[in-house]
């Protein structure tokens, strides 16, 4: 028998596999393929106070071993999320993690307060969003602004686990430490990496926004390195993601220091990927005589 349970702060997961924000909507699309209750957690698409339309198309392009997206954080807004999306997701026996984004610290605090009150099990802060008041620099790249933001949200969140999603566009060890010191229950990484691709015939960028975020297997070795560095810098749990496509990818992240993993881009080519990855982790444990999945975390031999 394998014990797949992991704890992420107050969050008790039945296994370490979750969805990555923005790649499985609010759960309904995934439920057409399998029962989301089988997952460790369901991470929702990022939401803001008001609905956002996102960027103009084209917003997605395939690249070797990955994709670039510039969705622009399109979402239904808090009110619709609380009225329709969250109650719908409640039909499954799976912890719900809301992913939030704002353009000011105040917006993050208000979102977190409402969601905590509504009983989501986790709140993940997407700090890659531009801080309008600071002239468009993302919260995740300015250390002082970042620490203040996490501290302010921490004060409002009483029951949900507070997860801070780090941007790969900044030194992860320092930001992971700042997140922990400011009260985060866990850190997650990586978000997609700023990237660009051009159609040489039309000379136009392949996403209208010119720059988008690269995800998928192309980013995996970078993500594994960042998870390794972040996990050595903090005591709080680390949720690893970036190009996880099969069980052995997930194990690699766990060996590097991840307590749990999230699956994103792989869902677009195979919606069953999260379950196959979970099976792969289980098979690895059986083959290596590992009883508890938590024993894998950080056990890389360097
Ligand atoms: C289409 C798309 C939409 C995404 N939307 C969000 C989002 O709303 N909030 C967020 O924090 N990350 C978002 N991400 C980033 C993913 O959650 C994940 O961090 C990243 O894609 C790396 O994992 P992957 O290679 O498995 O996709 C998005 C990624 C993609 C591809």
């Amino acid at each position: 028998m394998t014990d797949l349970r992991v704890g992420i702060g107050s969050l008790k997961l039945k296994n370490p596999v979750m969805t990555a924000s923005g790649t499985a909507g609010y759960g309904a699309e995934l439920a057409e393929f399998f029962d989301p209750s089988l997952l460790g957690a369901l991470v929702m698409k990022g939401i803001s106070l008001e609905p956002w339309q996102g960027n103009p198309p084209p917003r997605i392009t395939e690249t070797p071993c990955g994709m670039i997206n510039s969705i622009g954080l399109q979402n239904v807004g808090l009110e619709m999320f609380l009225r329709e999306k969250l109650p719908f997701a409640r039909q499954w026996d799976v912890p719900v993690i809301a992913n939030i984004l704002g353009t000011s610290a105040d917006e993050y605090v208000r979102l977190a307060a409402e969601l905590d009150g509504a009983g989501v099990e986790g709140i993940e802060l997407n700090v890659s969003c531009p801080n309008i008041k600071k002239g468009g620099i993302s919260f995740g790249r300015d250390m002082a602004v970042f620490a203040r933001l996490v501290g302010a949200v921490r004060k409002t969140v009483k029951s949900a686990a507070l997860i801070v999603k780090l941007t790969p566009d900044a030194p992860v060890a320092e930001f992971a430490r700042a997140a922990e010191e400011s009260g985060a229950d866990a850190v997650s990484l990586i978000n997609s990496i700023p990237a660009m691709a051009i159609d040489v015939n039309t000379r136009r960028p392949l996403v209208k926004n010119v720059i988008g975020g690269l995800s998928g297997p192309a980013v995996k070795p970078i993500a594994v390195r960042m998870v390794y560095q972040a996990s050595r810098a903090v005591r709080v749990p680390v949720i690893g993601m970036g190009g996880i496509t099969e069980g052995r990818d997930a194990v690699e992240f766990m060996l590097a220091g991840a307590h749990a993993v999230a699956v994103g881009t792989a869902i677009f080519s195979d919606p069953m990927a999260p379950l196959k990855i979970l099976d792969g982790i289980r098979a690895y444990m059986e083959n290596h005589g590992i009883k508890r999945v938590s024993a894998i975390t950080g056990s890389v031999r360097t």
Side-chain angles (χ1 to χ4, degrees):
M1 281 301 282
T2 49
D3 181 353
L4 288 160
R5 291 170 300 172
V6 290
I8 304 287
S10 56
L11 260 177
K12 303 288 169 246
L13 311 185
K14 52 174 98 78
N15 66 64
V17 179
M18 46 180 85
T19 50
S21 179
T23 60
Y26 302 100
E29 295 84 349
L30 211 56
E32 289 174 22
F33 296 91
F34 66 87
D35 177 3
S37 314
L38 296 169
L39 292 173
L42 199 54
V43 183
M44 301 271 144
K45 173 154 190 54
I47 51 160
S48 48
L49 278 179
E50 302 298 332
W52 284 8
Q53 291 224 313
N55 291 325
R59 310 198 291 188
I60 285 187
T61 187
E62 268 190 56
T63 56
C65 295
M67 64 186 262
I68 295 178
N69 91 84
S70 70
I71 304 294
L73 304 169
Q74 175 188 6
N75 76 95
V76 298
L78 179 66
E79 195 196 318
M80 166 84 96
F81 178 79
L82 292 176
R83 188 158 30 92
E84 284 182 17
K85 306 298 182 187
L86 183 58
F88 192 77
R90 283 283 171 235
Q91 69 183 287
W92 305 301
D93 175 25
V94 65
V96 170
I97 300 178
N99 175 286
I100 63 172
L101 49 114
T103 54
S104 69
D106 185 52
E107 279 183 31
Y108 278 97
V109 168
R110 284 168 59 199
L111 278 159
E114 293 265 3
L115 288 160
D116 194 44
V120 296
E121 282 83 1
I123 296 175
E124 183 178 55
L125 256 59
N126 178 1
V127 292
S128 307
C129 189
N131 175 352
I132 303 299
K133 290 204 174 128
K134 278 284 261 178
I137 299 175
S138 90
F139 289 90
R141 282 171 47 217
D142 182 321
M143 179 64 83
V145 173
F146 172 81
R148 259 202 312 279
L149 172 71
V150 177
V153 174
R154 170 73 281 169
K155 282 200 203 102
T156 11
V157 175
K158 306 281 183 244
S159 55
L162 177 59
I163 302 162
V164 177
K165 186 163 179 178
L166 305 175
T167 155
D169 212 15
V172 279
E174 281 93 322
F175 280 79
R177 214 173 290 122
E180 178 178 55
E181 282 165 7
S182 304
D185 295 312
V187 293
S188 59
L189 66 161
I190 62 172
N191 213 318
S192 53
I193 300 177
M196 182 173 173
I198 302 168
D199 179 328
V200 294
N201 292 318
T202 63
R203 302 189 182 196
R204 291 196 186 284
L206 283 161
V207 293
K208 181 88 177 167
N209 195 48
V210 181
I211 292 174
L214 180 67
S215 63
V219 307
K220 197 190 77 175
I222 300 173
V224 171
R225 184 264 294 174
M226 288 187 167
V227 163
Y228 175 72
Q229 290 177 321
S231 72
R232 301 235 145 190
V234 295
R235 280 181 302 274
V236 292
V238 172
I239 301 166
M241 71 198 87
I244 296 176
T245 308
E246 52 184 25
R248 75 168 96 177
D249 299 328
V251 171
E252 200 179 338
F253 274 83
M254 299 187 82
L255 289 169
H259 293 71
V261 293
V263 182
T265 301
I267 294 177
F268 291 110
S269 44
D270 180 6
M272 296 296 287
L275 286 196
K276 291 182 183 166
I277 288 162
L278 182 57
D279 284 345
I281 296 173
R282 206 180 276 117
Y284 175 86
M285 290 170 67
E286 279 160 10
N287 289 342
H288 291 261
I290 300 167
K291 295 208 164 48
R292 288 180 22 246
V293 75
S294 55
I296 305 174
T297 299
S299 66
V300 59
R301 297 177 183 143
T302 49

